[in-house]
Amino acid sequence: MGWTPDQGEPPFTFASLGVNYGPGQSGAGSWKDILTGVDGITFHADTPQPGDIAWWGYNDIGGAYGHVGFVAAVQNDTAVIEHYNLDTPNAYSVTTTPIGDVPGYIRITPNTQE
């Protein structure tokens, strides 16, 4: 997303965006509702771009917490998504996933990232 550790604190944290989990919210399944309340952050069902956050809700994927991954590339009708904890706790993985198999994509505009 254009940030490197030598730039200080990451610009994309809940605290820096002024949001947090509310009552009844936990895990990545809440990210859609929490983040799309921030100016410059939008949700898209079927138009991912590199840099978007691929999002799965509470009931879309095992574990009941939802899941998020980073869209590294889009190739025709698939998204290359980088994940942690997808199938194995604390493990990094990369999947090539049909765009329509992801419930949605969270997009942070450049102004929000800075």
Side-chain angles (χ1 to χ4, degrees):
M1 295 174 69
W3 174 83
T4 58
D6 62 325
Q7 294 174 307
E9 291 296 314
F12 177 67
T13 64
F14 277 18
S16 69
L17 294 172
V19 296
N20 206 342
Y21 290 103
Q25 295 177 324
S26 63
S30 298
W31 285 30
K32 174 186 172 189
D33 295 332
I34 294 169
L35 293 175
T36 55
V38 175
D39 286 341
I41 298 180
T42 55
F43 184 80
H44 303 269
D46 57 7
T47 57
Q49 297 177 357
D52 285 355
I53 300 168
W55 173 87
W56 290 263
Y58 294 116
N59 298 315
D60 298 322
I61 201 164
Y65 291 100
H67 181 73
V68 292
F70 179 77
V71 177
V74 177
Q75 302 168 339
N76 300 317
D77 60 349
T78 62
V80 177
I81 303 172
E82 298 182 20
H83 308 261
Y84 277 96
N85 304 322
L86 178 62
D87 294 320
T88 306
N90 303 313
Y92 170 80
S93 62
V94 177
T95 61
T96 301
T97 305
I99 289 170
D101 286 0
V102 178
Y105 302 88
I106 299 169
R107 183 164 305 142
I108 302 167
T109 60
N111 289 342
T112 307
Q113 292 179 24
E114 297 178 328

